[in-house]
């Protein structure tokens, strides 16, 4: 049953002129605002740090207008409103609400006690976070553990490498084993991929990648700890010895509600929806969003003040992510449209790389292209593009062309770690670390780390699984 409330202007479907929009007709220039957002995020903090931190929202808004105004003049108000509403209502709002909910709830869980960042302890914390990421989401696991990891290393001179590997493992690679772990896999679940398909088929690639990264981290952290005059004088250690305990454990209940709400929206399909500005809003998604907001409000109400104080909780990081990602979500519209047009679009040469002369999928190229684009584009829509490019039939992809779906899934999840904007938790972790006065690498500085550390195991995965 579907309901359309035509009596209220806000709910009138905006469909006139929609057929005029075709990604195959778009030139490469339509991607300039999106590239502008990426370059601003990359270069702003490096070249004009004071200006950027004060005005990044305005800069992002400027790039959005650089896309919206020409698009409005070319395609008209109907198509522009319809596409913007679809992006904001169906993609950005649910995305940011789940992030907000997990950020709020996890920010109220404070792990206190004797946590001093030795190489063994840091490796154990990263391993725990990597495991949790598949079951409570990369965002949830990252928000739960980033502050304890920062506190554990607050008496060390070199901390940035710990946060970088935290992003690699907890905010990305660890989320590969269930649809709850990372948004691309959740979209696959909504398309019909079995819930535990990823658990069984991505287990070995995830084990290999995470095993290599944890080993690399231990060796590097051991070097810093023992050979670089790492520890500050004990008197300067901000974290005194005490028994380990969890403060704000009440937040485990709203955390469970958020996870359950996301899962519910995938299993429950009451076939009730409303049309808002041309976009179909389904009841299960409305319920999910309301439950997430309710969980966040309950967390704010019942979390002890000391727990948030112990986490140095502020709204700054989530506000920064919200402003930057609304720009990314809007300016990416024409880029995704071009990709979806396949061989008819301006990026046709890129699309042709994934199929051989006999029409068979080239799995290694699916892995690298889905991953390469996920490094800079939002990995959820990128996953959908390659999912559809591979046929879009979940039953065939889970059986006949199973390696292709593994390649798409692994590329989209794993390579989101290549840049700060490849996956939402990356930028949030960076923002939290910087709010705690940890000097993080610049956008390109981070890419030096990711290229040096991640590309060798990605090549290894290609040789073992995707030839």
């Amino acid at each position: 049953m579907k309901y359309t409330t035509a009596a209220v202007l806000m709910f009138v479907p905006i469909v006139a002129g929609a057929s005029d929009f075709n990604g195959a007709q778009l030139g490469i220039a339509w991607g300039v605002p999106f590239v502008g957002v990426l370059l601003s995020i990359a270069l702003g903090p490096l070249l004009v740090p004071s200006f950027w931190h004060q005005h990044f929202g305005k800069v992002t808004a400027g790039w959005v207008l650089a896309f919206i105004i020409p698009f409005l003049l070319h395609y008209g108000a109907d198509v522009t409103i319809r596409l913007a509403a679809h992006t904001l209502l169906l993609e950005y709002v649910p995305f940011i609400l789940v992030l907000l909910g997990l950020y709020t709830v996890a920010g109220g869980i404070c792990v206190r006690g004797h946590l001093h960042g030795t190489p063994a302890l840091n490796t154990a914390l990263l391993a725990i976070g990597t495991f949790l990421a598949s079951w409570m989401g990369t965002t949830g696991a990252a928000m739960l553990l980033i502050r304890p990891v920062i506190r554990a290393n607050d008496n060390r001179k070199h901390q940035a490498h710990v946060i970088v590997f935290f992003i690699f493992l907890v905010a990305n690679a660890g989320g590969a084993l269930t649809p709850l772990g990372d948004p691309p896999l959740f979209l696959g679940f909504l398309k019909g991929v079995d819930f535990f398909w990823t658990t069984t088929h991505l287990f070995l690639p995830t084990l290999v990648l995470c095993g290599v990264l944890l080993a690399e981290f231990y060796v590097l952290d051991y070097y810093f700890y023992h050979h670089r005059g790492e520890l500050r004088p004990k008197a300067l250690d901000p974290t005194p010895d005490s028994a380990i305990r969890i403060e704000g454990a009440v937040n485990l209940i709203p955390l469970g509600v958020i996870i359950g709400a996301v899962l519910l929206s995938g299993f429950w399909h009451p076939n009730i929806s409303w049309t808002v500005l041309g976009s179909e809003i389904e009841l299960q998604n409305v319920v999910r969003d309301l439950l997430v907001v309710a969980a966040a409000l309950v967390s704010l109400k019942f979390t002890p003040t000391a727990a948030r104080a112990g986490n140095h909780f502020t709204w700054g990081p989530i506000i920064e992510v919200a402003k930057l990602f609304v720009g990314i979500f809007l300016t990416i519209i024409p880029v995704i449209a071009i990709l979806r047009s396949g061989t008819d679009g301006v990026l046709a040469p890129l699309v042709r790389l994934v199929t051989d002369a006999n029409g068979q999928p080239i799995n290694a190229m699916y892995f690298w292209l889905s991953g390469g684009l996920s490094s800079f584009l939002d990995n959820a829509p990128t996953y959908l593009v390659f999912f559809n490019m591979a046929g879009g039939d979940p039953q065939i992809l889970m059986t006949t062309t199973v390696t292709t779906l593994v390649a798409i899934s692994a590329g989209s999840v794993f390579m989101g770690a290549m840049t700060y904007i490849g996956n939402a938790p990356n930028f949030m972790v960076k923002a939290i670390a910087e709010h705690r006065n940890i000097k993080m690498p610049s956008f390109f500085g981070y890419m030096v780390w990711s290229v040096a550390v991640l590309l060798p195991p990605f090549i290894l995965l290609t040789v073992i699984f995707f030839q």
Side-chain angles (χ1 to χ4, degrees):
M1 182 185 304
K2 295 183 179 180
Y3 301 100
T4 302
T5 307
V8 181
L9 180 61
M10 177 181 177
F11 288 83
V12 175
I14 307 294
V15 295
S19 60
D20 296 334
F21 178 68
N22 184 348
Q25 300 172 354
L26 298 178
I28 198 67
W30 285 104
V32 169
F34 175 70
V35 174
V37 172
L38 300 190
L39 288 178
S40 297
I41 294 172
L43 299 178
L46 188 65
L47 301 179
V48 284
S50 179
F51 173 85
W52 174 254
H53 288 301
Q54 293 181 39
H55 302 290
F56 64 87
K58 297 172 186 175
V59 173
T60 304
W63 285 117
V64 170
L65 291 176
F67 158 63
I68 289 291
I69 292 175
F71 197 88
L72 181 67
L73 294 174
H74 190 79
Y75 287 100
D78 288 352
V79 176
T80 304
I81 292 173
R82 176 179 178 273
L83 290 174
H86 181 277
T87 296
L88 293 175
L89 295 176
L90 300 187
E91 298 174 6
Y92 175 74
V93 170
F95 166 84
I96 204 65
L97 284 180
V98 170
L99 282 184
L100 174 63
L102 291 171
Y103 179 81
T104 304
V105 172
I109 303 174
C110 181
V111 180
R112 297 187 183 273
H114 183 92
L115 292 174
H116 296 294
T118 65
L121 176 67
N122 283 336
T123 303
L125 288 174
L126 294 188
I128 292 170
T130 301
F131 171 78
L132 290 176
S134 281
W135 305 99
M136 60 185 299
T138 52
T139 299
M143 293 305 99
L144 179 66
L145 287 178
I146 182 57
R147 294 177 182 89
V149 167
I150 290 174
R151 283 201 308 276
N153 291 275
D154 56 10
N155 68 323
R156 293 183 56 172
K157 295 178 181 178
H158 300 92
Q159 303 173 54
H161 71 285
V162 180
I163 309 303
V164 168
F165 273 85
F166 186 94
I167 293 174
F168 292 165
L169 286 156
V170 182
N172 288 275
L177 298 184
T178 77
L180 295 174
D182 218 25
L185 304 182
F186 186 72
L187 290 179
F189 171 64
L190 296 180
K191 288 289 185 180
V193 177
D194 293 343
F195 186 88
F196 288 107
W197 182 91
T198 52
T199 308
T200 56
H201 289 84
L202 269 76
F203 178 79
L204 286 180
T206 303
L207 182 65
V208 170
L209 175 62
C210 294
V212 170
L213 291 179
L214 287 169
E216 288 179 339
F217 172 77
Y218 180 82
V219 171
L220 180 64
D221 202 42
Y222 185 92
Y223 169 75
F224 276 122
Y225 192 80
H226 291 284
H227 300 288
R228 293 296 299 273
E230 179 73 352
L231 295 180
R232 294 169 176 161
K234 188 173 180 62
L236 298 180
D237 187 350
T239 309
D241 293 359
S242 61
I244 294 176
R245 69 187 190 281
I246 296 178
E247 193 168 7
V250 66
N251 282 286
L252 295 176
I253 297 174
L255 179 62
V257 169
I258 292 175
I259 295 172
V262 172
L263 192 58
L264 176 68
S265 67
F267 281 111
W268 179 47
H269 299 286
N271 293 321
I272 298 175
S273 64
W274 299 267
T275 301
V276 181
L277 296 176
S279 296
E280 187 177 342
I281 310 296
E282 296 181 308
L283 177 61
Q284 65 268 27
N285 295 331
V286 173
V287 172
R288 176 198 61 212
D289 295 345
L290 290 176
L291 286 172
V292 168
V293 171
L297 293 174
V298 168
S299 173
L300 289 173
K301 174 69 174 177
F302 294 102
T303 299
T305 302
R308 294 199 186 277
N311 281 332
H312 298 269
F313 181 89
T314 69
W315 295 109
I318 190 65
I319 291 173
E320 186 173 356
V321 169
K323 288 182 178 180
L324 293 177
F325 271 83
V326 72
I328 291 173
F329 269 76
L330 287 172
T331 58
I332 202 178
I333 289 174
V335 178
I336 293 298
I338 292 171
L339 286 172
R340 283 179 175 158
S341 65
T343 56
D344 296 327
V346 70
L347 295 177
L350 190 66
V351 175
R352 293 192 185 99
L353 291 176
V354 299
T355 307
D356 64 19
N358 298 319
Q360 297 301 308
I362 304 175
N363 295 319
M365 293 305 299
Y366 267 108
F367 174 66
W368 283 97
L369 285 180
S370 64
L373 290 175
S374 292
S375 300
F376 295 94
L377 310 181
D378 182 63
N379 60 0
T382 301
Y383 170 93
L384 279 183
V385 167
F386 285 92
F387 185 91
N388 291 324
M389 199 181 299
D393 186 327
Q395 297 306 316
I396 293 176
L397 286 169
M398 286 190 294
T399 53
T400 306
T401 55
V402 61
T403 306
T404 303
L405 185 55
V406 171
I408 295 169
S409 303
S412 300
V413 174
F414 295 160
M415 294 196 199
M418 290 298 295
T419 72
Y420 280 134
I421 60 171
N423 201 14
N426 302 4
F427 207 90
M428 194 175 296
V429 168
K430 173 183 179 289
I432 291 173
E434 289 177 335
H435 275 72
R436 296 291 297 275
N437 298 316
I438 296 175
K439 185 174 176 57
M440 291 295 293
S442 67
F443 186 91
F444 293 114
Y446 175 87
M447 286 188 65
V448 171
W449 276 92
S450 65
V451 168
V453 174
L454 294 176
L455 285 190
F458 288 162
I459 294 171
L460 179 63
L461 292 181
T462 304
V463 172
I464 297 175
F465 298 104
F466 304 127
Q467 287 292 347

